Amino acid sequence: MASKVVYSRRDPMLKKRDDFEDMLEERRATSDLRYALKCYTPVMYKGIAPCKGSTLNGMVLESDQIRYVIKQLSKETGEAAEVIQEEASSILEEMAQRLQLSTVRFFAFALSKAFKTLFRSICVNEEGIQRLQQAIHEHPVVLLPSHRSYMDFLLMSYLLYTYDLALPVIAAGMDFMAMKIVGEMLRMSGAFFIRRSFGGDKLYWAVFSEYVKAMLKNGFAPVEFFLEGTRSRTSKSLTPKLGLLNIVMEPFFKGEVFDISLVPVSISYERVLEEALYARELLGVPKPKESTSGLFKARKILSEDYGSIHVYFGQPVSVRSLAEGRVNRCNFNLLPRHIPRKPGEEIQTFVNDSAYRLVRAQEENMVLKPWVLLASLLLQSHAARQERGMTVEELTEQVVWLRDLFRQYGAFLHWPDHMPPSEVVSSSLSLHHGLVATSEGRVKLASGEQGGPSSITPEEALMSQAVIVLSCASYRNQGLHIFLRPALLASAINAASSNQKQEVYNTFSFLRNMFSNEFILCPGATVQDFEEACYLLEKTRVLHVTEQEVQVTDGGHKTLAFLTRVLDPFLQGYQVVCRYLCEENSEALTEKQFIPAVRKFIMQQLLAGSLRYSETLSSDLQKNALAALLRLGAVEKVKGADHVTLKVNKVMVNSLEDTLGGKLPTQKAAVARL
């Protein structure tokens, strides 16, 4: 039996969470071949043996919905129904998975070898596995893992096979299908391939939605997809995509199943395989195309140490319970079930709220490693331009202080309490040796320069440094959800014109609204978030909050300063995007030109010393800033014949820039306008 990994009993917030076991321990002790060829008898939905893939495909093509859509399209286009039927069959052929146990066994063998080489441990909460097994037996199940690495969907199937659970069918992008051999092997291990965008293709949407619902309703297998739609390059949770969630909830809305279980899964990597790749993508280096040859070239990663992975299977969430009192299912009886219909406002709001709740559940069960804390401190030291960095002793003292703060705020922290803090720090720095420079007892971020400072231009040096900074920021971001609300409040206190509670709340509300594309902030929960932030900062003796005022305590300034610095890179990033748009003289700035142009502007500002944070070079931050300005009406999209132009309201953008910079005379007006 694998050993238990038990977290510190001194942390009261962890009592609600399950223990972990290292499932690689048994793999290291037994034959991988025997493991891959083991007797595999998973529990299925209601004990029913799943139908064959070909039978399932036939059910989809003969369904009332597909017949109806074909008939309607034939009327609209004048094309023969038989031709459209053939097209539907081709779409399904391209899309469908062909799950084969022999391929799964091959992957089990290969992944077992790879995981033992790459990772020290893969820790799983066994109680979560037991809950999932029960859920699979009782109801159709939808697995919703967080998405930080290509490794995620391979890891999920590997774990379910290991624990004798039904293997999932997994929504995957078409780019994986283009990988020779590997694409077909993924299909035979449960992947079904979907286009990144359907446009207005009614037939494709009908085939896709009917296929997913058929797998779910018939208990073929748990359906797995990523709520965020794509990998997060920044390790921040992304705004959830609602299309697939809408589809998997529909059988419940229409009364075709009694209930559906949604299972959020949190996958936490101590070291992400793609860390440098992500940083370069954020700086404008094109993403390498998925290919089999690229996969083989990536074999060199097998010589590296990537620490541990923690996988936490969360509590199954009942769609029936979520919908109680919120969704009137009688409305779905007004039309025959097979007639496609767009979800009404009530359903859209419900699905959106559910998606945010599920992403929050993923965040809350993310296991944070010591490096998350160290990266936060080293980034702040770097931004403060401490050229020599920090002494190891200073860093250790600061990380212990931050560890205690994380615990007080309820973080799921994996800190080995049996080791002295100095050893924890040393071990973490060693694992992430490519991101830090240690010399004469001092630690700072690595420069990233190759060949010495004299051999590269200032621009190249800045980009090399930015790769390191963005890689570190991705680890800091893993813990951002812990501090987000207190950090918004700290920034609001810092910017508000007085300590009056209403004034602080108004500023908090403005910042929260501004950053709602950047972070997971549930719609309509501003008051709740403000009260939560006040509670946490009062609990940790940072603030004293009365009915009228918000006062900083004598001992609260250190925590408040740290929290303010957490959001500073984002504040400065949004501010510089506003500055660029105000100074941009072109009347025909296209959406496509925006990111390269704003990146060039920020590079100039950084080289001139006008900006502190090279994180502002991140295309993710720039896109989120533009999305916020579009949402607030400060920028509009104007569609032309062959491109989209950005129309800028410079007065409003200038006002927002001033507000983000803490120029208080414009702040009240901006808050009022929002």
Side-chain angles (χ1 to χ4, degrees):
M1 182 65 184
S3 63
K4 295 285 184 183
V5 182
V6 182
Y7 292 92
S8 168
R9 293 183 182 278
R10 287 178 289 168
D11 186 350
M13 297 303 294
L14 296 188
K15 289 180 182 176
K16 298 175 186 175
R17 291 165 173 138
D18 305 337
D19 290 339
F20 285 91
E21 70 153 10
D22 174 14
M23 53 83 64
L24 278 188
E25 187 175 294
E26 189 174 333
R27 296 275 41 78
R28 296 188 199 282
T30 58
S31 159
D32 290 326
L33 186 59
R34 190 176 300 150
Y35 158 74
L37 298 175
K38 70 175 184 161
C39 178
Y40 174 67
T41 53
V43 170
M44 303 305 294
Y45 173 49
K46 292 184 177 175
I48 302 168
C51 61
K52 290 182 179 178
S54 56
T55 307
L56 182 76
N57 293 355
M59 290 165 58
V60 171
L61 292 172
E62 291 164 20
S63 67
D64 289 339
Q65 177 173 319
I66 298 299
R67 288 174 185 272
Y68 175 82
V69 170
I70 288 172
K71 188 177 177 182
Q72 292 300 111
L73 286 172
S74 181
K75 280 182 185 176
E76 288 172 18
T77 63
E79 205 166 2
E82 293 77 14
V83 175
I84 301 172
Q85 176 77 34
E86 193 61 39
E87 190 183 340
S89 184
S90 298
I91 289 170
L92 188 57
E93 181 69 22
E94 175 190 71
M95 182 186 299
Q97 53 77 31
R98 290 197 289 272
L99 186 59
Q100 292 184 10
L101 188 57
S102 57
T103 308
V104 171
R105 291 189 188 282
F106 170 79
F107 269 119
F109 178 79
L111 289 174
S112 201
K113 295 284 185 194
F115 287 162
K116 287 190 292 185
T117 304
L118 289 168
F119 303 108
R120 298 174 187 177
S121 59
I122 298 178
C123 300
V124 183
N125 63 323
E126 271 204 323
E127 289 173 57
I129 292 288
Q130 290 161 11
R131 290 192 295 262
L132 177 57
Q133 186 175 44
Q134 185 69 23
I136 288 171
H137 180 63
E138 293 176 351
H139 302 293
V141 164
V142 178
L143 293 166
L144 301 168
S146 56
H147 200 15
R148 305 291 180 268
S149 171
Y150 275 138
M151 193 68 73
D152 296 329
F153 67 90
L154 295 171
L155 180 62
M156 285 290 292
S157 295
Y158 178 74
L159 291 177
L160 296 189
Y161 178 78
T162 300
Y163 287 102
D164 244 19
L165 294 175
L167 289 164
V169 287
I170 308 148
M174 294 292 283
D175 36 7
F176 287 102
M177 195 178 80
M179 297 171 70
K180 292 176 184 176
I181 305 171
V182 173
E184 275 309 301
M185 288 185 72
L186 291 173
R187 191 192 292 276
M188 289 188 286
S189 60
F192 62 97
F193 298 102
I194 56 175
R195 297 174 191 167
R196 295 288 180 188
S197 173
F198 304 167
D201 192 332
K202 293 178 186 176
L203 185 62
Y204 192 92
W205 177 259
V207 172
F208 167 60
S209 59
E210 187 62 27
Y211 182 62
V212 173
K213 287 184 286 186
M215 288 191 289
L216 204 63
K217 288 186 294 186
N218 292 287
F220 182 84
V223 174
E224 178 186 319
F225 64 91
F226 300 109
L227 255 180
E228 298 162 284
T230 186
R231 287 173 299 157
S232 170
R233 272 72 172 166
T234 61
S235 288
K236 288 191 288 94
S237 295
L238 305 178
T239 302
K241 302 288 189 291
L242 306 181
L244 255 170
L245 191 60
N246 240 317
I247 289 170
V248 298
M249 285 183 168
E250 195 175 290
F252 169 75
F253 296 149
K254 291 184 174 180
E256 296 170 302
V257 295
F258 180 77
D259 199 0
I260 294 167
S261 291
L262 308 173
V263 182
V265 184
S266 307
I267 306 175
S268 313
Y269 294 90
E270 188 166 14
R271 186 179 167 204
V272 179
L273 274 73
E274 304 99 324
E275 67 178 29
L277 179 70
Y278 287 166
R280 291 189 177 97
E281 278 186 48
L282 292 169
L283 292 168
V285 178
K287 181 182 98 165
K289 193 175 180 181
E290 283 81 8
S291 67
T292 305
S293 60
L295 182 67
F296 284 112
K297 286 174 188 172
R299 285 179 302 168
K300 64 181 181 182
I301 66 171
L302 292 171
S303 62
E304 291 279 341
D305 178 3
Y306 288 89
S308 63
I309 304 176
H310 283 74
V311 184
Y312 194 97
F313 288 85
Q315 289 281 354
V317 177
S318 158
V319 174
R320 191 177 192 86
S321 297
L322 284 177
E324 191 173 349
R326 292 203 57 190
V327 174
N328 181 6
R329 293 199 292 164
C330 295
N331 292 333
F332 287 87
N333 296 328
L334 300 177
L335 284 174
R337 285 175 178 170
H338 65 269
I339 297 179
R341 54 185 284 175
K342 283 189 175 180
E345 191 176 330
E346 176 193 57
I347 294 296
Q348 284 181 323
T349 302
F350 169 73
V351 173
N352 190 51
D353 291 349
S354 301
Y356 273 87
R357 174 175 170 169
L358 290 160
V359 175
R360 282 296 306 274
Q362 288 176 348
E363 287 184 334
E364 285 165 11
N365 290 323
M366 286 287 188
V367 177
L368 307 179
K369 315 293 167 43
W371 176 245
V372 172
L373 284 62
L374 288 164
S376 303
L377 293 167
L378 288 168
L379 281 166
Q380 292 196 4
S381 168
H382 177 75
R385 295 184 176 152
Q386 296 177 2
E387 297 293 335
R388 298 183 63 224
M390 307 167 73
T391 66
V392 174
E393 291 76 18
E394 285 173 332
L395 184 58
T396 303
E397 183 184 327
Q398 288 296 310
V399 84
V400 168
W401 169 80
L402 191 54
R403 175 199 67 188
D404 296 341
L405 193 63
F406 260 82
R407 283 176 168 169
Q408 286 175 303
Y409 285 5
F412 201 169
L413 188 61
H414 178 214
W415 183 282
D417 283 321
H418 62 278
M419 288 171 63
S422 58
E423 283 185 31
V424 175
V425 170
S426 174
S427 172
S428 199
L429 292 174
S430 174
L431 183 66
H432 297 274
H433 57 87
L435 300 178
V436 291
T438 53
S439 176
E440 298 176 355
R442 303 187 76 87
V443 186
K444 63 179 182 178
L445 294 188
S447 67
E449 294 171 1
Q450 302 293 323
S454 60
S455 63
I456 60 174
T457 66
E459 289 81 4
E460 289 170 334
L462 176 58
M463 290 298 274
S464 296
Q465 180 70 80
V467 169
I468 300 294
V469 168
L470 290 176
S471 297
C472 269
S474 72
Y475 291 102
R476 177 211 58 206
N477 291 346
Q478 290 180 16
L480 265 184
H481 63 278
I482 300 297
F483 287 127
L484 177 57
R485 287 148 192 84
L488 284 168
L489 181 53
S491 296
I493 291 167
N494 194 46
S497 57
S498 74
N499 60 4
Q500 291 296 303
K501 191 175 182 180
Q502 187 61 49
E503 176 70 24
V504 172
Y505 173 78
N506 288 345
T507 311
F508 176 92
S509 180
F510 165 76
L511 291 172
R512 187 188 183 281
N513 190 16
M514 196 75 195
F515 287 130
S516 61
N517 294 86
E518 192 72 49
F519 307 112
I520 296 299
L521 293 159
C522 298
T526 305
V527 172
Q528 183 182 329
D529 284 349
F530 181 74
E531 288 174 352
E532 180 188 320
C534 287
Y535 167 74
L536 287 171
L537 290 176
E538 273 202 292
K539 170 187 162 185
T540 48
R541 298 186 177 88
V542 175
L543 297 181
H544 178 61
V545 183
T546 67
E547 286 292 319
Q548 300 297 326
E549 291 185 336
V550 177
Q551 298 278 5
V552 182
T553 64
D554 291 340
H557 291 284
K558 179 180 179 179
T559 301
L560 211 66
F562 170 81
L563 291 171
T564 303
R565 289 194 295 269
V566 165
L567 280 190
D568 274 352
F570 301 97
L571 280 164
Q572 192 171 90
Y574 279 48
Q575 193 181 2
V576 74
V577 167
C578 289
R579 189 183 311 156
Y580 165 73
L581 290 171
C582 286
E583 294 182 14
E584 168 59 42
N585 293 319
S586 170
E587 293 298 318
L589 175 67
T590 66
E591 189 177 22
K592 194 173 181 180
Q593 292 168 340
F594 172 75
I595 293 294
V598 80
R599 183 185 295 120
K600 183 179 177 183
F601 179 79
I602 290 172
M603 284 277 288
Q604 292 166 349
Q605 299 280 307
L606 284 164
L607 290 168
S610 306
L611 290 177
R612 267 199 313 177
Y613 295 98
S614 47
E615 280 184 63
T616 54
L617 284 167
S618 165
S619 59
D620 181 74
L621 187 150
Q622 294 154 13
K623 287 173 187 171
N624 289 336
L626 179 61
L629 294 172
L630 288 163
R631 177 171 46 81
L632 298 174
V635 178
E636 287 179 51
K637 287 184 182 181
V638 180
K639 290 186 179 178
D642 54 357
H643 59 261
V644 176
T645 304
L646 300 175
K647 183 182 177 185
V648 181
N649 180 335
K650 293 197 176 185
V651 173
M652 190 173 178
V653 171
N654 187 58
S655 173
L656 289 168
E657 183 197 344
D658 286 348
T659 306
L660 290 165
K663 295 179 184 176
L664 297 171
T666 61
Q667 183 149 332
K668 290 178 184 175
V671 170
R673 183 161 50 244
L674 296 176

